[in-house]
Amino acid sequence: MRDINKNPIGGLGYNFMKTFIEYYNSTFAFSHDGLRNNQQNPNGSWNGLLGEVSNSRAEIGIWLGNTEARHPYVDFTAPALHMPFVFFTNLPRATLKWYGIIFVFSNDVWLCIGLSLAIVFPIYYLQFWLHGLLTHQTVRDALYLSIIMPVCAILQEAGNNPTNARFLLGLFLFYGIIIGMFFDSNLISFLTLPELGHVPETPEELWKMREYEIRFLYLPGLACDQFFSRTKSPMYLDIKKRMKVIPISSNTQSLMQTALGPQSVQLQYDLSGQLNLAENLTFHPAFVPLRMSRKPIFDLPISFILRKYSQFTESVSYNVGKLQNTGHFKKWFYQVLNIARRTGMDWLKKVKSEGKTEKLGYKIVELTEDAMSSKIKPFKLVHFGLMFCCFLSGLSFAMTSFLAEIFLLWMFKNQKRNIDSAVLISVNACTV
């Protein structure tokens, strides 16, 4: 952490060195220039942090992961922290599908309702047939009534029903009311608490979900760069082909786009990702707009590095191990995280007061406020959209059927009038 003048005021490595020199009564000069190229040159020399230490331009380097390629060139202390390489993805979205009305009941319940209707149809028709056989009075439109009566009972719609079928219809109406009550209550539950979409949580899921865009923060020579350049795993090779490389200057913007946009992930180290989240995407301390993968791509132990066979290696490594065992590094990290979170909250509050000048930041504020406003939300227009679509579809179908009937009736009357005219002409002709 730095102050306004970019001078270091805190942090894991800085706190360790401060404690170390106070204990050993020494001094140090702390350089925090950005060393972004950590690759090895063709002649075997190294750039970046490892090159500064191996060439004796610095005594101690903070921080670097211990890998097979780096180990022969410098001394690594005991691991101070583990930094998993993970991916961040947006929170699962709750969506309502147009066919969501089917999800109210399970498949076996729909099957039972369909079977109950299919069984009642012939029972009604048989009753009408027996009634006509016994009373010698044929029930008009018996087949139509046999089908429409149970359907109307399920839909709780009143109709002009025959007297001889009212007892059986009353029993089925009671059954229809129970089905309707369950359907209405489950529909409300489905609309207010819809199922959340699934987002990838492991590298295997990310590999299979090919619709996701993968963004990779590229820094030459880092362990993640070495991993993807040397891996032979078909899964990670396929992920590598889908990766979109972004520079470090676009890191924060890319994280915001990941939080706001659907079907995108960003590969990043756990600790640096948490710091970026705290400093740029945290408007409320209880809400994090990104989800971190449950399983890392790899786990990297990070250490202090010293010149090969340095006289300080043993004492520095001993103190790193002791402070790691006592939990000091974790405590210092959480302190840095809290400072970054307070800074980020102040910045986003300023963004909110200024309006939409900072578009991505303002959208993060809106996302947080919408998520933290209430656990139980009132109905919105989208909740009624499905029902109104069904209503409008039925109304349109009914109106089309009505117009078709009017047209057919008009054609029938015209045809009948033409026939009557032809008959009248024929009669007149015969009379003449």
Side-chain angles (χ1 to χ4, degrees):
M1 303 300 295
R2 303 183 178 98
D3 58 15
I4 300 176
N5 299 321
K6 302 299 181 181
N7 296 317
I9 57 174
L12 282 71
Y14 184 77
N15 287 342
F16 172 79
M17 291 307 302
K18 250 181 104 175
T19 307
F20 184 80
I21 64 168
E22 288 174 3
Y23 186 78
Y24 286 98
N25 193 23
S26 58
T27 59
F28 74 99
F30 192 86
S31 172
H32 51 96
D33 298 328
L35 301 174
R36 299 180 179 179
N37 184 4
N38 289 276
Q39 287 180 315
Q40 187 176 21
N41 297 316
N43 61 2
S45 61
W46 286 85
N47 298 304
L49 192 61
L50 195 143
E52 294 290 310
V53 174
S54 61
N55 294 329
S56 301
R57 289 192 292 268
E59 195 67 47
I60 300 176
I62 313 168
W63 306 85
L64 204 63
N66 192 353
T67 65
E68 183 181 359
R70 296 168 177 170
H71 189 77
Y73 296 91
V74 290
D75 285 342
F76 286 85
T77 65
L81 286 170
H82 282 260
M83 195 177 329
F85 189 67
V86 297
F87 59 87
F88 291 86
T89 183
N90 61 307
L91 299 178
R93 298 289 195 266
T95 56
L96 291 173
K97 299 179 176 61
W98 66 268
Y99 50 88
I101 193 172
I102 303 174
F103 298 155
V104 175
F105 288 150
S106 60
N107 295 334
D108 52 351
V109 175
W110 282 119
L111 179 62
C112 291
I113 294 174
L115 288 175
S116 66
L117 288 171
I119 292 172
V120 171
F121 294 158
I123 292 177
Y124 273 119
Y125 189 78
L126 180 62
Q127 184 181 7
F128 292 145
W129 179 77
L130 290 175
H131 178 77
L133 189 65
L134 294 175
T135 61
H136 302 287
Q137 294 179 359
T138 305
V139 178
R140 188 180 177 184
D141 298 328
L143 180 60
Y144 169 75
L145 288 174
S146 301
I147 296 175
I148 200 63
M149 285 171 58
V151 172
C152 288
I154 288 288
L155 299 177
Q156 300 178 24
E157 180 183 348
N160 188 13
N161 304 310
T163 306
N164 59 313
R166 287 180 179 175
F167 176 73
L168 182 60
L169 182 61
L171 295 177
F172 198 80
L173 180 61
F174 179 72
Y175 166 76
I177 290 173
I178 295 176
I179 295 297
M181 288 172 60
F182 277 101
F183 182 84
D184 293 341
S185 60
N186 287 355
L187 180 62
I188 292 174
S189 300
F190 175 78
L191 293 177
T192 52
L193 297 172
E195 293 185 2
L196 297 176
H198 181 69
V199 296
E201 296 182 346
T202 63
E204 290 79 10
E205 291 181 353
L206 179 61
W207 175 45
K208 294 176 182 177
M209 300 172 76
R210 304 189 63 86
E211 68 275 12
Y212 270 79
E213 180 187 14
I214 303 173
R215 290 194 284 268
F216 174 57
L217 181 63
Y218 178 68
L219 287 173
L222 289 188
C224 52
D225 180 32
Q226 296 181 25
F227 174 82
F228 282 108
S229 63
R230 300 182 183 185
T231 182
K232 302 297 181 183
S233 169
M235 178 178 70
Y236 290 120
L237 288 174
D238 186 66
I239 290 176
K240 179 183 177 182
K241 291 179 183 178
R242 294 162 52 194
M243 288 191 313
K244 177 184 177 182
V245 177
I246 60 171
I248 192 171
S249 58
S250 303
N251 182 28
T252 301
Q253 182 181 5
S254 177
L255 268 181
M256 288 183 172
Q257 291 173 348
T258 302
L260 298 170
Q263 296 183 337
S264 64
V265 301
Q266 180 164 328
L267 305 180
Q268 198 166 355
Y269 285 108
D270 176 7
L271 302 185
S272 59
Q274 289 188 54
L275 281 172
N276 206 338
L277 272 172
E279 195 168 8
N280 299 286
L281 282 82
T282 301
F283 182 68
H284 193 284
F287 178 74
V288 180
L290 283 174
R291 174 177 287 186
M292 190 170 60
S293 60
R294 289 188 290 107
K295 182 180 177 182
I297 296 176
F298 62 84
D299 193 4
L300 181 68
I302 56 173
S303 311
F304 293 84
I305 61 172
L306 297 96
R307 190 178 66 253
K308 201 67 177 176
Y309 310 117
S310 171
Q311 58 178 333
F312 302 111
T313 299
E314 184 178 354
S315 58
V316 174
S317 185
Y318 169 77
N319 285 281
V320 167
K322 183 169 63 175
L323 293 177
Q324 193 274 336
N325 291 332
T326 56
H328 277 73
F329 287 110
K330 286 186 177 180
K331 177 185 175 183
W332 289 334
F333 175 72
Y334 289 132
Q335 288 176 350
V336 171
L337 205 62
N338 289 333
I339 296 173
R341 190 177 291 115
R342 287 196 298 269
T343 305
M345 291 171 62
D346 292 339
W347 174 69
L348 286 176
K349 287 177 181 177
K350 182 179 178 183
V351 169
K352 180 185 177 182
S353 63
E354 292 177 352
K356 298 183 178 181
T357 53
E358 178 67 37
K359 292 184 179 179
L360 289 176
Y362 192 81
K363 289 181 179 179
I364 293 294
V365 173
E366 287 184 331
L367 177 66
T368 305
E369 288 183 337
D370 183 61
M372 299 299 297
S373 59
S374 175
K375 292 183 179 179
I376 301 176
K377 297 180 174 60
F379 277 176
K380 295 183 179 179
L381 186 60
V382 67
H383 297 141
F384 293 97
L386 179 62
M387 295 298 100
F388 274 106
C389 286
C390 294
F391 171 73
L392 291 175
S393 300
L395 189 63
S396 301
F397 180 75
M399 183 62 68
T400 304
S401 301
F402 174 74
L403 294 176
E405 289 180 1
I406 295 295
F407 178 73
L408 291 174
L409 183 62
W410 177 77
M411 288 187 61
F412 176 75
K413 287 182 176 180
N414 281 347
Q415 188 177 6
K416 185 179 179 182
R417 188 180 299 112
N418 293 334
I419 293 174
D420 292 343
S421 300
V423 170
L424 182 61
I425 292 172
S426 299
V427 170
N428 291 336
C430 291
T431 302
V432 172

